[in-house]
Amino acid sequence: EQEYEMIDVQSVLFFETPMSMMEDTLQIVGGNGYLDVTNTSKKATPENVYIYYKNSAVDLLYGGITYRARIEKPIQPGETVRVMTRHYQEGNSRLIMVTCGE
């Protein structure tokens, strides 16, 4: 019959390997509605490069949806590929992880 003073809800997700932005291979620059992805390595990437991002405010990530942009073809060394996104907004989104070849 008492009222709640505070409710604390936590959701924890464990990854088998740490999340990576693949900084040693890719440089990613985002703008309103797109991501420019440059292969800075000396080898082509595998097919299917996935870039994960979330909406954010200051240093806080919003819960819920994590968006994913996909580049199907390998990115050649020195090549920049622009991938169009519906939800990436410069200053209001944060890149969180990149995976390749999955």
Side-chain angles (χ1 to χ4, degrees):
E1 299 296 325
Q2 296 178 353
E3 291 188 33
Y4 293 109
E5 292 182 21
M6 182 179 79
I7 296 175
D8 184 14
V9 178
Q10 294 183 3
S11 178
V12 178
L13 176 64
F14 294 98
F15 289 87
E16 290 181 22
T17 57
M19 292 191 303
S20 169
M21 286 301 301
M22 297 183 62
E23 294 95 344
D24 58 335
T25 305
L26 301 174
Q27 176 184 7
I28 304 171
V29 177
N32 292 329
Y34 68 89
L35 296 169
D36 285 339
V37 183
T38 303
N39 180 349
T40 59
S41 75
K42 296 182 184 196
K43 295 186 340 184
T45 66
E47 293 179 356
N48 296 318
V49 174
Y50 290 101
I51 303 150
Y52 297 83
Y53 61 95
K54 292 186 78 64
N55 293 329
S56 66
V58 189
D59 290 332
L60 181 66
L61 293 174
Y62 294 143
I65 291 180
T66 300
Y67 299 103
R68 179 173 81 168
R70 177 182 176 198
I71 301 170
E72 295 180 36
K73 296 182 180 182
I75 306 170
Q76 299 303 315
E79 180 182 17
T80 298
V81 175
R82 176 166 283 188
V83 58
M84 303 309 290
T85 65
R86 288 186 170 185
H87 303 98
Y88 191 90
Q89 294 296 314
E90 188 176 8
N92 293 323
S93 299
R94 187 181 321 162
L95 301 170
I96 58 169
M97 180 173 67
V98 176
T99 61
C100 286
E102 297 178 12

